[in-house]
């Protein structure tokens, strides 16, 4: 949207609505990409600290953090619905035909997507935490397995790679 505005600024007159729409699109992108990151458990965490704790302490902390996460997004979703009620009948400033309830619907929808993502990814996450495997260790293991597959496809063995490294 911003690129479109830059091009039109030099080609002809820039539309008055691009700035407002670009800001709304950024908010939508943030909510939906954040929900996708939650599904993949890609947000910043402290799994290493958690894995260092004994399992009888670790698991209650994980259950509490999961409950707090879901509780926060339940409150956010409820607040988003309140925002929609308050903005009933209002429209964007530059595009009077676009209702604010449409643009702000991202709040309750995004909150719902976060909750769904957390619930869908929870069983696997709880199993990893119970076993003491961190997200970082899992990512490293997967990267190594992928590199080994790529090397095997290229016909390279560990011995050949070691020889190349020392040459």
């Amino acid at each position: 949207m911003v690129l479109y505005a830059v091009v039109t600024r030099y080609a002809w007159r820039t539309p008055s609505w691009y700035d407002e729409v670009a800001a709304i699109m950024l908010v939508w992108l943030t909510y939906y990409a954040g929900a996708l990151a939650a599904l993949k458990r890609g947000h910043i965490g402290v799994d290493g600290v958690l894995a260092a704790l004994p399992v009888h302490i670790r698991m209650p902390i994980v259950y509490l953090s999961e409950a707090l996460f879901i509780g926060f997004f339940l409150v956010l979703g409820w607040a988003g619905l309140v925002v929609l009620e308050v903005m009933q009948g209002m429209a964007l400033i530059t595009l009077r035909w676009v209702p604010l309830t449409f643009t702000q619907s991202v709040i309750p929808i995004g909150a719902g997507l976060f909750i769904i993502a957390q619930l869908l990814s929870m069983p696997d996450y709880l199993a990893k935490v119970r076993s003491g495997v961190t997200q970082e260790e899992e990512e490293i293991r997967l990267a190594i397995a992928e590199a080994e597959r790529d090397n095997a496809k290229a016909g390279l063995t560990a011995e050949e790679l070691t020889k190349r490294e020392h040459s």
Side-chain angles (χ1 to χ4, degrees), residues 45-121:
V46 287
D47 286 351
V49 172
L50 201 56
L53 296 172
V55 73
H56 70 279
I57 296 173
R58 179 183 333 147
M59 293 313 293
I61 291 172
V62 171
Y63 291 132
L64 176 64
S65 70
E66 293 293 307
L68 289 172
F69 182 96
I70 291 170
F72 172 80
F73 281 100
L74 284 171
V75 170
L76 182 67
W78 171 80
L81 293 173
V82 170
V83 166
L84 293 181
E85 275 184 48
V86 169
M87 294 188 167
Q88 198 71 26
M90 297 180 189
L92 292 180
I93 294 169
T94 56
L95 296 173
R96 302 296 304 162
W97 55 271
V98 178
L100 279 179
T101 52
F102 171 70
T103 64
Q104 300 304 311
S105 66
V106 70
I107 300 170
I109 293 170
L113 289 174
F114 265 92
I115 292 169
I116 291 167
Q118 198 75 0
L119 291 173
L120 288 174
S121 64

Side-chain angles (χ1 to χ4, degrees), residues 123-145:
D124 186 46
Y125 178 69
L126 292 175
K128 285 178 187 173
V129 171
R130 187 172 285 112
S131 69
V133 175
T134 67
Q135 184 77 14
E136 185 178 61
E137 290 170 340
E138 182 72 15
E139 289 171 5
I140 291 169
R141 186 186 63 74
L142 291 173
I144 290 171

Side-chain angles (χ1 to χ4, degrees), residues 148-162:
E148 288 174 344
R149 277 194 308 275
D150 290 346
N151 288 339
K153 284 181 185 176
L156 300 172
T157 64
E159 290 175 8
E160 290 171 340
L161 291 171
T162 305

